[in-house]
Amino acid sequence: MAKVLKAEQQRTGIKLLWGTACLFANPRYMHGAATSCNADAFAYAAAQVKKAIEVTHQLGGEGYTFWGGREGYSTLWNTDIGRELDHLGAFLHMAVEHKKKIGFKGQFYIEPKPKEPTKHQYDSDAAACLNFLRQYKLTSHFKLNLETNHATLAGHEMQHELEVAVAANALGSMDANTGDPMLGWDTDQFPTSVYLTAQCMLSLLKMGGFKTGGVNFDAKVRRESYEPVDLFHAHIGGMDAFARGLKIAAAIRADGRLEEFVKNRYRSWDSGIGKKIESGKANFKTLETYILKKGEVTKNESGRQEFLENLINEFI
Amino acid sequence: MAYFPKIKKIKYEGPGSKNPLSFKWYDENEIVAGKTMRDHLRFSVVYWHTFRNPLSDPFGVGTAFRPWDDGSESVKNAQKRVKVAFEFMEKLGAPYYAFHDRDVAPEGKSLAA
């Protein structure tokens, strides 16, 4: 199969953004893969991921994604969370080791999702993934692949997940889709909201654009949209929505008022006591002395949420 | 052979176009903030949903009508699907794709297969 894929890649110039292994559909992974109570399932998953990374490497893939579909639990009555997390950490370290061994230079991604099919998935959201990567000393080897519908399942807006990742310098790639707020599950619809795509592209431009990742349409047409032409309509719509989002985000940045507002909002940290705190030259005692002398804090200013929402609408 | 014989390469026609099989905003060569749209966005098509999802849900079987697919897990069917996928991505103008191992290669009888 890899030969056929490679031949088509060479014929068309289309490249592999990332590969991954399906460690959730086969019944052997009913209790999870790297977090299964059955050590043999862990071993099988290791062999499967080894092969998937090798094929991704062979096809010149620019990345490899870990999405733990069943790396979580259905009930805590039968689950040892600490042991399962240790196993997942060990699994990813083995993946890093194998990557080095075969000389694969692609970026490793971890993809948050809070639930479905499990009741709770360990990679719940961007913050949980970052904490997991730090705990197991994996931060330098992984970036996040963020999916809109996974963010909303976690009770976050996509913009929240993106900003959390950008703040940690860990945004790698995007699984572009959208959910339906009236439905509580992962509907994986094609993204058409220009507000959403503008937010995505603002965060992306803020971090300087993609280095290895991309806008990956992890999205499916509706069950009623059953004809091949619907696949074209869906992708064209998603691409147009992101193109508009890009132009809007670029215009907001070129205008500069939003960025200037945020910069100005934090100006108390650019000099005086704020600067002392940020540079580590203050402690509770010096701060107590400072504020006793001053008496009360400098008057707070409006957050101007409505003003800013209107400002954004100027561009949409 | 063409698996989407009636569909030509999707082109940018601008926001005024009423052609559903054209881009209204995505012009891959247009420069935005110093880079082409193509290089900013790096669009990628996923193999699993676009070429492997029968569109089933927990209440019913798949509805997807895919004239090229014989519904089997044979290697021949999987190889034909690769041709379909690349024709689709070429006509769409997506520079990237992504896959799950099991989407492109059917599960063999053993891991070594």
Side-chain angles (χ1 to χ4, degrees):
Chain A
M1 284 308 301
K3 268 186 207 156
V4 186
L5 288 165
K6 190 156 197 171
E8 284 296 285
Q9 285 185 202
Q10 280 165 349
R11 183 183 68 76
T12 60
I14 294 168
K15 294 190 264 187
L16 178 59
L17 189 70
W18 49 257
T20 187
C22 175
L23 304 177
F24 44 87
N26 191 289
R28 78 174 64 87
Y29 299 125
M30 64 169 69
H31 299 298
T35 64
S36 177
C37 51
N38 183 346
D40 279 352
F42 183 108
Y44 204 109
Q48 198 180 323
V49 168
K50 175 178 177 287
K51 177 79 178 170
I53 294 173
E54 287 165 3
V55 171
T56 301
H57 181 39
Q58 193 188 335
L59 293 174
E62 297 183 15
Y64 185 89
T65 294
F66 293 83
W67 173 64
R70 293 190 194 272
E71 312 295 24
Y73 60 79
S74 283
T75 174
L76 284 171
W77 295 120
N78 65 11
T79 302
D80 183 338
I81 289 186
R83 212 166 173 186
E84 291 198 2
L85 285 173
D86 285 351
H87 296 162
L88 184 57
F91 191 92
L92 296 182
H93 272 289
M94 289 182 206
V96 169
E97 189 192 341
H98 191 67
K99 176 188 169 182
K100 282 182 190 158
K101 197 174 166 188
I102 64 171
F104 176 50
K105 304 279 184 227
Q107 176 65 51
F108 272 178
Y109 304 108
I110 193 162
E111 180 177 326
K113 185 178 181 184
K115 57 189 169 188
E116 200 197 81
T118 61
K119 172 195 176 82
H120 176 86
Q121 192 168 305
Y122 299 129
D123 305 330
S124 295
D125 61 6
C129 282
L130 289 169
N131 179 61
F132 171 83
L133 294 173
R134 285 191 189 108
Q135 184 178 351
Y136 291 95
K137 299 187 169 39
L138 286 160
T139 37
S140 61
H141 303 292
F142 284 81
K143 299 240 183 250
L144 302 181
N145 177 41
L146 296 175
E147 174 170 331
T148 316
N149 209 161
H150 293 180
T152 42
L153 283 179
H156 302 307
E157 288 180 329
M158 181 59 162
Q159 194 182 16
H160 166 92
E161 290 291 83
L162 290 164
E163 289 296 307
V164 168
V166 169
N169 192 29
L171 177 58
S173 197
M174 235 185 263
D175 268 11
N177 65 17
T178 195
D180 185 322
M182 298 298 118
L183 298 171
W185 64 89
D186 196 10
T187 58
D188 280 341
Q189 287 164 242
F190 277 82
T192 53
S193 161
V194 177
Y195 272 88
L196 169 68
T197 58
Q199 288 170 347
C200 289
M201 294 316 293
L202 261 178
S203 293
L204 192 74
L205 292 179
K206 192 198 279 187
M207 75 152 209
F210 288 122
K211 291 179 182 67
T212 56
V215 175
N216 182 50
F217 289 113
D218 191 354
K220 61 187 180 204
V221 291
R222 297 304 85 201
R223 189 167 181 267
E224 300 86 338
S225 308
Y226 67 93
E227 294 180 356
V229 71
D230 292 309
L231 298 171
F232 278 96
H233 294 154
H235 284 84
I236 290 169
M239 289 161 84
D240 267 344
F242 264 90
R244 280 178 89 172
L246 168 63
K247 293 185 92 162
I248 291 163
I252 291 171
R253 284 170 63 81
D255 171 79
R257 279 176 291 161
L258 178 67
E259 200 180 343
E260 184 55 34
F261 181 90
V262 177
K263 190 168 172 281
N264 189 52
R265 185 163 180 254
Y266 289 89
R267 69 186 183 281
S268 72
W269 295 88
D270 296 335
S271 62
I273 196 68
K275 197 173 179 182
K276 273 188 192 153
I277 298 169
E278 275 198 351
S279 57
K281 288 176 186 149
N283 57 41
F284 274 9
K285 181 78 185 103
T286 61
L287 292 172
E288 181 189 50
T289 308
Y290 165 80
I291 209 66
L292 281 172
K293 190 177 168 200
K294 185 159 185 180
E296 189 46 84
V297 305
T298 302
K299 190 169 178 274
N300 277 311
E301 293 170 0
S302 168
R304 299 268 185 263
Q305 180 171 336
E306 298 77 8
F307 162 85
L308 292 170
E309 286 166 348
N310 298 349
L311 190 154
I312 296 299
N313 272 359
E314 279 182 35
F315 295 88
I316 293 183
Chain B
M1 85 166 264
Y3 295 98
F4 304 96
K6 290 184 188 157
I7 295 171
K8 297 193 185 84
K9 174 117 174 79
I10 308 298
K11 289 186 186 138
Y12 172 74
E13 293 182 6
S17 171
K18 303 292 177 212
N19 175 7
L21 294 173
S22 74
F23 292 118
K24 316 293 185 296
W25 299 91
Y26 179 62
D27 178 358
E28 63 176 6
N29 296 317
E30 184 181 338
I31 305 283
V32 178
K35 271 201 297 196
T36 62
M37 281 197 175
R38 182 187 166 93
D39 289 345
H40 269 294
L41 294 161
R42 296 164 56 91
F43 285 125
S44 166
V45 171
V46 305
Y47 215 92
W48 52 96
H49 282 321
T50 299
F51 305 109
R52 297 293 276 140
N53 197 318
L55 308 181
S56 57
D57 70 16
F59 295 89
V61 298
T63 59
F65 166 68
R66 306 288 182 244
W68 55 81
D69 204 302
D70 66 14
S72 77
E73 287 298 315
S74 73
V75 172
K76 195 178 158 204
N77 196 30
Q79 286 178 343
K80 190 201 265 185
R81 217 184 274 121
V82 175
K83 305 274 183 190
V84 175
F86 277 82
E87 183 189 326
F88 177 83
M89 295 187 286
E90 228 185 343
K91 286 185 166 169
L92 186 66
Y96 288 95
Y97 74 109
F99 67 70
H100 288 120
D101 52 355
R102 296 301 181 228
D103 299 321
V104 290
E107 185 147 18
K109 285 197 179 64
S110 76
L111 188 64

